[in-house]
Amino acid sequence: RSLSSRASVPRVSMPDPFPVASPPLSEAKRHRTSTRGASPPLEAMSISRAARMAGNEPQQMSALEAERRHYRPCVPAVLRVRVRAEPAQERTTCVSHEDLIASAFPTLYGSPVVSLVPADETDTSVAPRPLRVGCVLSGGTPAAGGHNCICGLFDHLEAFHPGSTLLGFRGGLRGVLRNSFTKLEAATVERHRNSGGFFMIGSGGDLIETEEELALAVRIARNNSLDGLVIIGGSASNANACLLAERFAAEGLAARVVGVPKSVDGHLKSEQVELPVGFDSASKLYSELVGNVMTDCTSSRKYYHFVRLMGRDASHLALEVALRTRPNLVLLGEEAAQQSRTIAGLVGEVADLVAERAAAGMEYGVVLVSEGLVDFLPEVRNLLRELDGALAERDAQDSNSYEGLSDDWLSSALSPPAFAAFSLLPEGSQTALLEERDAHGRVQVAKLESERLLGELVELELERRAAAGSYQGRFSVQHHFFGFEGRCPPPSNFDATYSHALGLAAGGLVSAGASGVLATLRGLTGPPEEWAPRGVPLTSLLAAERRRGRDVPLIHKAAVDLEGAPFRTLVSRRGGWRLARSFASPGPVQFDGPLADEISVCLRLERGEEVPEAAVAPLAAARLAAPPSLPSLLEGDAALAVVAGAVPHAAADELFVAQQLPTTAGQPRLEIVSGRLAFRHATPLPLLGEAPLVIGVVFCGRQCPGAHNVAVGLTHFLQRRGGEGAKLLGFLDGTRGLFGGRAVELGADEVAPYLNGGGMDLLGRSADVIRTAEHYELAEATCRRCGLSGLVLVGGPVSNSDTALLAEHFKQRGVPTRVIGVPATIDGDLYCNSIEASIGFDTATRVYASLVGNLATDAASARKHWYFIRMMGRTPSHLTLGCANLTQPNIALVGEELEARRMTLCDIVGELADAVEARASEGKHFGVVLIPEGLIEYVPQVNALLSEISAALKYRQRMGDTSTDRYKVYTAILPLLTPPSAALLASLPPYIRRQLMLERQASDDKAQLSQIETERLLAELVRVELRKRRAAATATAEWAAPDARFAPVCFYLGYQARSSMPSTFDANLGYALGHAAGALVGAGATAYMASAHCLTSPPSEWRLCGVPLFSLMSADRRAGVAVAVIRPAQVSLASPTFRRWSAVRERLVMADLYCNPGPMQLSGPLAAGPSPGRVQAEHAERGRDVAEAQAICREVSAACWPGCSGDVLRTALASLRALREHLDVLEERDQAAMTNPVGSSHRRITQVTHEQMLRRDN
């Protein structure tokens, strides 16, 4: 069902502007029309983009946005010619409340469905005269495809009504009332083709309801001589379109009103409306995120993930995502309502699932919850109905109706059952229900965190069962809400094609004289050329709904049909998911390749198709058939050699590091080369001895895309070069499996299903901790018992620090196992000149940047929210900085810079408030702020507080205080803090206090940064600061203070990416480093890290090396003990990556130059190479420069042969001696810079011995 080609369907003859199909992205350059002008090849675009990143100019659009502009959707055959409206014979009725609807719409009610059919050449009713048509993007929820609706409308007018004018009313329907519009020219339309969001003209949730507003709309339509008005929106917006059509007809206006169905959550559907615009893109994005969370779940095997999906009024998204991903339990509101479920009943059902899985040895799982679940429960629905009415009545009496609401008022305003249900909710949920309501006067159920509510209540229920002896498991829960991320992604191929065709249909309906109809297409599961355009009377979709205390006509919201094929399919399959150990991970939306044109599973089932449950998601299956690329030296069976190079210095504290690692410090760098190309002046170390290699692999660090390919690379290396009988042993559950000797043999068949797969679920992981003497002894015993030639540990800085210390222990004890580290961390903090990239960072940057781009697009579309987005990444800010350069938010906080500027929390909040006020002064009440996960560690007073809390918690542990009661913990540690820290802790919100006092991480004994909601804290502090400023301005009569309306929405981007399918770059990198690790073991090397260089070149040109682990290490403390470690690399404020951001950020505060990199592409031209971020900016020329330098060295060596002239020899010697001196000076400078860094309050890097460090610490 390709949306970009239809060879079996005859081409309909018609000139511009509709090509029958869009070519694949890889062939797009050959198919671009001459009117668009020649575009540079993708390689040139990447180079120019890299040049901009090095300069002072922000990007105008991402590579994907630029490429998607050239995609031309298929066009239904009937819409390629002039059309007329052919009415059906039958009159229509409404969904319900016929008397109310018929009386409200006397002119339109009963109108028949009209079909668009080719018009005769003699039909004068559709003569090609110029038209003036207005369009509106309406509703509070933007959706992917809205822009293409406008593009289709524009294309229809250009093709069949030359000289027409298309007016885009700005900001939704309020733009109509304000007569605020922009004339949409071809250049504007072209710039927004196939892009997400509604930012072309903006959107809004305002409606035209009162008599005064309707009269004003009539006057504006008449004054603008409108022939038509196209409203692209959801149920409320299209009900408003019906109201306008009725009024325009009654007033005798020529303007025809046509609606276009838009709904992210899919509730705007019926027998006549197969699917709304935006649902396909949103469901695919949510499926990707849920699949990533599921892979993360099966990798760590320690959490239950409760995931809430957007969809207040219907559970279509949850149903679609469940069918794609197969969660252990899915809770749909419609089913709960049918069964009259209660909150207690749902809690019991989830607790039963947890108990069943615990009995089967699985203390992890995924529960999918529809957003409106609690809204469907009879007891909660009754509560919300009463609360709506009570707050509406209070609105009429008191403008400050949301302030000062007491229990007494609530108990008197609500019935006893409703008040009892309200009292059952946690405090945060109660507050959410009483906050400001949405544009339609409803309580904002989206703020009622049903996933958190369920998680808390299930935890209490399991504690009760444990006390009663009926449950013995462990329950830890993580909560997620996926909503705003899916509203404005780049539209999928289906949505791009569908929305463009709807725009064409809307234009055809206007030109054919139809009014009060909704543009629809039938046959969506068939070829787009065969889609049949229709106009469905809006009155036929109407029912009455209670709004602000009265019944009003609205489009009926279609709930999930519990008798329909999609739900029946779910019921037939979900029993097998309940105790499943694995899930389905659909991966990111693709725009190129055979899977780019996938259609909604629910839609196919509704249309009678069979959709079998595949064992593996289609994209994952395709990735299994796409072997990664290798450096050319590893291709074939040519002999390999490992060549020794120079001996590097330690990163810092060289004397201390040498004392800690007496047998492994001072090793040379190694490079893996072809045996026949080994340098003549170096002695190659032979690969392999007599015995076959037996290598063990352990996933130590946090989940990381591409880690599986390390295991696959090791397996394939051993098959080809490990000797007869070589084998790979994988240790289960990370370091726990290593200590316990629990291993499985990994052959080609075992690793094949995990090729190019995300997460670490092949083996699982636990904690990256190899610390104590007992750990060393257990690891040694396992290696000896298994006869391991080598042990490969995969992880980040902490894991590779353990690798170095374990290798030292083995060498001192004479253990024959060689220990090799592989850099794998999404945080990007295992980075230096020796390590150009770690596995996973590229993927994480791409996935997070895609989500940030979606949110930024949403902010620019709705223009009413400030998005505070916290990025995973532990202490360093690499991910935040990388995403900032790719997406260009208004503000990105870089922790390392804040520390260098010695900024306090008040300083940060003040600068954020300044930005909010500055944008508000230009009418921009929206923006995007990126916040690194480790931000609070860079704020001096908060960092001091964290250190004191850690010390206090250890003291409590030593004293035998094991209480987990949050209040008792708080009261116990408060007296142990210094007065400034105690005052700071007491001043923080309760939820932040609880998060700061959580148990410390085992890996680094630090606070659990991922659990500290820094974004929420900053948003609340900014809100308080703005209130203070407004109060001060009022007190001093400074009425010019800007009206800084501030509506923050907070996000944490963490689990969405760390177990994603790896990017092509990370898949290649992991596979290559797996081979490199095997080669290092075969060469007898130990205490090395496998690394790859020249990574901006094609993989065939990559160079594989072994970096001595001691060269990455310096002194630090672990649990108060001095030890050599690899410190996480901080963002360098002198790096090209930071300089690029620093050069553009001042402009970005006020400008809205957001870029959306779009979903990660795994095929086509956008899949190759690293993302245009750190590697491109800082290593773009390294491969070329290294090759040139080595070539010059070989030329000099060849020229200085024994028979050369004395002048040649003396000139060469003088130049080389000078060069050596210069290099020595540079190396000494670099060493001094690393030993004495500028401005680092919480890092200690000094040249000390072990004894000196202990004396200083005491």
Side-chain angles (χ1 to χ4, degrees):
R1 290 190 178 82
S2 172
L3 299 177
S4 57
S5 62
R6 287 289 183 274
S8 60
V9 178
R11 194 180 282 260
V12 180
S13 176
M14 178 185 170
D16 289 339
F18 311 128
V20 170
S22 172
L25 283 175
S26 57
E27 302 176 11
K29 291 188 286 293
R30 297 201 301 268
H31 292 265
R32 291 170 186 158
T33 60
S34 59
T35 58
R36 299 179 58 82
S39 296
L42 191 62
E43 294 78 7
M45 290 167 57
S46 298
I47 293 172
S48 63
R49 186 170 296 106
R52 283 198 300 276
M53 288 183 67
N56 298 330
E57 287 301 314
Q59 304 174 69
Q60 298 303 313
M61 62 179 62
S62 69
L64 184 135
E65 288 175 308
E67 194 67 17
R68 288 297 285 169
R69 284 173 60 185
H70 304 297
Y71 177 81
R72 284 295 183 268
C74 291
V75 173
V78 69
L79 295 176
R80 296 175 58 79
V81 298
R82 190 168 288 106
V83 295
R84 63 179 177 83
E86 183 176 275
Q89 297 295 321
E90 304 83 8
R91 289 174 58 81
T92 58
T93 59
C94 59
V95 176
S96 65
H97 300 80
E98 185 168 5
D99 292 342
L100 174 65
I101 305 301
S103 62
F105 303 96
T107 305
L108 297 178
Y109 189 76
S111 301
V113 174
V114 298
S115 299
L116 292 180
V117 297
D120 298 331
E121 294 183 4
T122 59
D123 192 338
T124 58
S125 63
V126 289
R129 64 181 181 87
L131 300 176
R132 285 179 63 83
V133 179
C135 63
V136 179
L137 293 171
S138 181
T141 305
H147 286 162
N148 268 25
C149 293
I150 295 178
C151 294
L153 177 59
F154 180 87
D155 291 343
H156 174 87
L157 296 176
E158 286 284 294
F160 303 114
H161 299 276
S164 293
T165 300
L166 180 60
L167 307 179
F169 286 95
R170 292 190 286 257
L173 287 167
R174 71 172 177 266
V176 175
L177 297 179
R178 296 174 181 175
N179 199 28
S180 173
F181 61 81
T182 182
K183 182 181 177 182
L184 296 178
E185 306 286 357
T188 301
V189 173
E190 288 299 309
R191 194 162 58 246
H192 293 85
R193 283 191 188 274
N194 307 310
S195 63
F198 282 8
F199 59 90
M200 180 194 294
I201 53 177
S203 68
D206 302 273
L207 299 176
I208 300 174
E209 298 177 297
T210 67
E211 283 298 318
E212 294 78 6
E213 290 171 341
L214 287 168
L216 180 58
V218 168
R219 186 164 66 251
I220 288 171
R222 181 177 287 122
N223 292 343
N224 285 310
S225 302
L226 291 184
D227 296 292
L229 179 64
V230 176
I231 298 175
I232 303 157
S235 55
S237 300
N238 278 291
N240 219 211
C242 190
L243 193 65
L244 286 173
E246 178 70 26
R247 178 55 65 94
F248 286 5
E251 297 286 343
L253 265 66
R256 310 299 182 185
V257 182
V258 175
V260 175
K262 176 273 305 178
S263 172
V264 168
D265 56 19
H267 68 255
L268 184 47
K269 62 188 299 185
S270 67
E271 184 60 33
Q272 298 289 343
V273 185
E274 294 185 9
L275 206 65
V277 169
F279 177 82
D280 187 77
S281 302
S283 64
K284 288 174 178 174
L285 175 67
Y286 296 144
S287 297
E288 174 197 357
L289 300 184
V290 171
N292 292 349
V293 168
M294 288 173 164
T295 306
D296 194 283
C297 176
T298 55
S299 298
S300 63
R301 302 171 188 172
K302 62 180 181 180
Y303 289 123
Y304 273 86
H305 294 267
F306 284 43
V307 184
R308 174 168 52 108
L309 288 182
M310 176 174 276
R312 165 176 178 156
D313 298 300
S315 306
H316 298 290
L317 278 171
L319 177 57
E320 174 78 20
V321 172
L323 291 172
R324 286 179 174 270
T325 61
R326 307 200 284 268
N328 301 118
L329 182 64
V330 55
L331 299 175
L332 304 182
E334 292 86 343
E335 185 180 21
Q338 184 198 53
Q339 299 174 356
S340 299
R341 306 294 298 278
T342 63
I343 293 178
L346 290 177
V347 170
E349 182 180 355
V350 178
D352 290 344
L353 170 76
V354 174
E356 287 177 33
R357 291 182 63 84
M362 295 175 286
E363 295 180 326
Y364 60 90
V366 177
V367 177
L368 205 58
V369 180
S370 63
E371 181 184 32
L373 173 67
V374 295
D375 197 6
F376 277 94
L377 301 179
E379 59 184 326
V380 178
R381 178 164 289 189
N382 179 58
L383 165 64
L384 296 179
R385 186 184 302 111
E386 291 190 25
L387 205 53
D388 270 337
L391 292 176
E393 182 179 345
R394 187 177 171 94
D395 275 344
Q397 302 170 0
D398 182 3
S399 60
N400 295 319
S401 60
Y402 308 105
E403 298 178 7
L405 294 177
S406 64
D407 285 346
D408 290 340
W409 180 85
L410 286 167
S411 62
S412 63
L414 302 176
S415 66
F419 184 71
F422 183 82
S423 301
L424 180 65
L425 303 177
E427 182 181 351
S429 299
Q430 292 178 352
T431 302
L433 289 180
L434 298 176
E435 287 183 351
E436 184 178 355
R437 288 171 286 162
D438 64 19
H440 309 301
R442 301 180 301 176
V443 170
Q444 297 194 57
V445 176
K447 293 188 176 182
L448 182 60
E449 299 173 321
S450 51
E451 78 287 4
R452 195 175 297 273
L453 168 65
L454 274 176
E456 292 176 1
L457 295 178
V458 168
E459 188 171 10
L460 292 174
E461 170 63 16
L462 291 173
E463 288 176 2
R464 185 191 65 76
R465 294 187 184 189
S470 60
Y471 172 70
Q472 289 79 39
R474 181 181 59 85
F475 179 73
S476 297
V477 63
Q478 297 289 338
H479 308 101
H480 314 274
F481 171 49
F482 298 148
F484 291 84
E485 305 95 323
R487 306 198 313 182
C488 293
S492 63
N493 279 3
F494 174 85
D495 262 336
T497 302
Y498 178 47
S499 55
H500 181 260
L502 282 175
L504 293 167
L509 289 166
V510 168
S511 62
S515 187
V517 295
L518 187 72
T520 67
L521 292 160
R522 299 284 290 173
L524 296 181
T525 57
E529 292 91 338
E530 299 175 6
W531 291 352
R534 295 184 179 183
V536 177
L538 286 165
T539 53
S540 69
L541 306 174
L542 291 178
E545 188 172 321
R546 198 76 175 170
R547 291 289 174 88
R548 299 188 187 274
R550 62 190 181 90
D551 289 333
V552 295
L554 286 176
I555 301 288
H556 173 69
K557 297 181 179 67
V560 169
D561 181 4
L562 300 184
E563 299 299 324
F567 183 76
R568 292 201 311 272
T569 302
L570 173 71
V571 171
S572 68
R573 295 177 180 177
R574 63 186 177 185
W577 303 342
R578 190 173 177 86
L579 297 180
R581 294 179 180 272
S582 61
F583 309 96
S585 183
V589 175
Q590 297 297 290
F591 296 122
D592 190 31
L595 301 176
D597 301 328
E598 279 189 310
I599 296 176
S600 161
V601 174
C602 287
L603 178 62
R604 292 162 60 192
L605 289 169
E606 287 167 350
R607 298 304 147 194
E609 288 192 25
E610 291 290 332
V611 184
E613 185 176 23
V616 180
L619 183 59
R623 296 291 288 157
L624 292 176
S629 300
L630 275 175
S632 57
L633 70 98
L634 294 175
E635 297 287 359
D637 298 318
L640 298 178
V642 176
V643 176
V647 176
H649 294 282
D653 312 315
E654 189 153 10
L655 296 178
F656 177 79
V657 172
Q659 186 182 58
Q660 288 272 294
L661 308 172
T663 65
T664 56
Q667 297 189 123
R669 296 188 182 96
L670 302 178
E671 182 171 3
I672 302 165
V673 298
S674 173
R676 67 178 187 276
L677 297 178
F679 301 128
R680 286 176 294 176
H681 63 275
T683 304
L685 306 178
L687 279 168
L688 306 179
E690 296 295 328
L693 292 179
V694 179
I695 297 179
V697 62
V698 185
F699 292 153
C700 296
R702 290 202 293 186
Q703 290 87 315
C704 177
H708 282 150
N709 275 23
V710 176
V712 177
L714 278 166
T715 302
H716 292 176
F717 175 85
L718 291 175
Q719 282 184 324
R720 294 167 56 190
R721 304 176 186 275
E724 187 71 28
K727 62 182 178 181
L728 178 68
L729 299 180
F731 289 95
L732 300 174
D733 296 326
T735 52
R736 281 205 298 260
L738 174 64
F739 301 149
R742 292 184 294 110
V744 293
E745 184 171 346
L746 299 177
D749 292 339
E750 285 75 25
V751 299
Y754 297 89
L755 176 66
N756 298 325
M760 294 178 167
D761 51 324
L762 167 64
L763 300 172
R765 63 164 298 272
S766 50
D768 47 347
V769 176
I770 307 176
R771 300 289 160 78
T772 65
E774 181 184 7
H775 289 164
Y776 291 154
E777 295 295 335
L778 291 171
E780 177 183 338
T782 295
C783 291
R784 290 185 185 276
R785 184 168 60 254
C786 296
L788 295 186
S789 314
L791 180 64
V792 177
L793 304 177
V794 182
V798 173
S799 302
N800 279 283
S801 299
D802 295 340
T803 300
L805 298 174
L806 183 64
E808 178 66 27
H809 172 84
F810 279 11
K811 197 163 186 180
Q812 289 184 18
R813 295 286 295 268
V815 180
T817 303
R818 281 85 81 183
V819 186
I820 302 297
V822 173
T825 167
I826 69 167
D827 303 328
D829 54 358
L830 191 45
Y831 175 71
C832 59
N833 284 333
S834 302
I835 311 295
E836 287 186 22
S838 54
I839 302 167
F841 179 70
D842 181 77
T843 303
T845 302
R846 289 176 186 264
V847 175
Y848 291 141
S850 171
L851 298 179
V852 172
N854 294 349
L855 291 170
T857 305
D858 188 273
S861 299
R863 304 179 69 85
K864 61 182 179 182
H865 292 300
W866 273 87
Y867 291 147
F868 281 61
I869 307 169
R870 176 165 55 106
M871 314 284 298
M872 182 171 270
R874 293 190 174 178
T875 301
S877 306
H878 296 290
L879 277 171
T880 301
L881 182 59
C883 290
N885 278 327
L886 289 176
T887 61
Q888 301 181 165
N890 302 105
I891 300 169
L893 303 176
V894 177
E896 291 82 347
E897 182 193 20
L898 302 182
E899 183 183 51
R901 294 172 58 190
R902 307 296 295 171
M903 293 185 69
T904 66
L905 198 57
C906 291
D907 296 332
I908 297 169
V909 171
E911 290 198 357
L912 291 173
D914 290 343
V916 172
E917 286 194 329
R919 289 180 62 82
S921 66
E922 295 188 2
K924 298 179 178 181
H925 302 286
F926 65 94
V928 179
V929 181
L930 299 190
I931 303 164
E933 184 178 63
L935 175 72
I936 58 174
E937 287 200 339
Y938 289 101
V939 180
Q941 68 268 44
V942 182
N943 186 53
L945 171 62
L946 290 172
S947 299
E948 291 186 29
I949 289 175
S950 295
L953 291 174
K954 289 179 184 176
Y955 177 78
R956 287 182 64 248
Q957 190 175 16
R958 289 198 302 271
M959 294 296 101
D961 185 353
T962 59
S963 172
T964 58
D965 182 87
R966 294 167 179 171
Y967 181 74
K968 289 182 179 179
V969 172
Y970 171 67
T971 55
I973 71 170
L974 199 61
L976 303 177
L977 306 179
T978 60
S981 293
L984 176 60
L985 182 62
S987 69
L988 294 173
Y991 67 89
I992 290 291
R993 290 204 296 261
R994 291 195 298 268
Q995 293 161 1
L996 292 176
M997 293 184 295
L998 290 172
E999 181 183 0
R1000 272 26 198 170
Q1001 296 179 148
S1003 59
D1004 54 13
D1005 200 36
K1006 290 185 176 182
Q1008 296 186 45
L1009 297 178
S1010 63
Q1011 304 301 316
I1012 301 175
E1013 296 175 282
T1014 317
E1015 73 285 9
R1016 186 175 164 192
L1017 172 64
L1018 287 179
E1020 290 188 10
L1021 293 178
V1022 170
R1023 190 200 303 272
V1024 171
E1025 175 65 16
L1026 292 171
R1027 286 176 180 168
K1028 286 181 180 178
R1029 295 184 182 188
R1030 193 171 295 114
T1034 303
T1036 56
E1038 294 180 2
W1039 304 112
D1043 177 21
R1045 294 196 298 274
F1046 181 63
V1049 181
C1050 297
F1051 302 89
Y1052 174 51
L1053 301 185
Y1055 292 89
Q1056 296 93 326
R1058 68 181 195 174
S1059 291
S1060 164
M1061 283 186 187
S1063 65
T1064 303
F1065 174 82
D1066 273 333
N1068 291 338
L1069 182 61
Y1071 191 59
L1073 292 186
H1075 280 76
L1080 291 171
V1081 170
T1086 191
Y1088 278 87
M1089 181 185 293
S1091 70
H1093 295 271
C1094 309
L1095 297 180
T1096 58
S1097 303
S1100 61
E1101 300 175 16
W1102 289 359
R1103 298 174 65 170
L1104 301 180
C1105 302
V1107 178
L1109 283 167
F1110 86 90
S1111 68
L1112 307 173
M1113 305 184 81
S1114 57
D1116 205 346
R1117 289 190 302 172
R1118 281 182 173 176
V1121 178
V1123 67
V1125 300
I1126 300 174
R1127 279 200 174 90
Q1130 307 295 303
V1131 169
S1132 170
L1133 304 186
S1135 66
T1137 310
F1138 180 79
R1139 289 203 308 269
R1140 190 266 167 186
W1141 170 250
S1142 182
V1144 302
R1145 62 180 171 184
E1146 188 172 345
R1147 279 188 60 189
L1148 297 179
V1149 171
M1150 298 304 298
D1152 304 324
L1153 299 175
Y1154 308 128
C1155 286
N1156 191 341
M1160 179 172 62
Q1161 297 301 289
L1162 299 174
S1163 63
L1166 297 178
S1171 62
R1174 186 172 70 182
V1175 173
Q1176 291 281 13
E1178 301 183 14
H1179 299 279
E1181 305 299 324
R1182 179 174 290 268
R1184 190 179 301 115
D1185 291 346
V1186 168
E1188 183 180 358
Q1190 292 180 344
I1192 292 173
C1193 290
R1194 288 194 292 271
E1195 290 174 7
V1196 172
S1197 177
C1200 296
W1201 68 293
C1204 70
S1205 70
D1207 290 342
V1208 169
L1209 190 58
R1210 283 189 293 272
T1211 300
L1213 276 173
S1215 300
L1216 292 174
R1217 286 167 180 162
L1219 175 61
R1220 184 173 60 189
E1221 290 180 4
H1222 290 155
L1223 294 178
D1224 288 342
V1225 170
L1226 290 175
E1227 188 171 5
E1228 290 173 4
R1229 185 198 66 184
D1230 291 343
Q1231 283 290 304
M1234 287 187 291
T1235 304
N1236 301 296
V1238 178
S1240 179
S1241 64
H1242 67 282
R1243 290 174 288 157
R1244 298 166 307 282
I1245 304 179
T1246 52
Q1247 190 74 10
V1248 293
T1249 64
H1250 182 261
E1251 291 77 10
Q1252 288 172 327
M1253 197 165 189
L1254 286 177
R1255 285 199 301 271
R1256 183 192 67 191
D1257 293 339
N1258 292 329

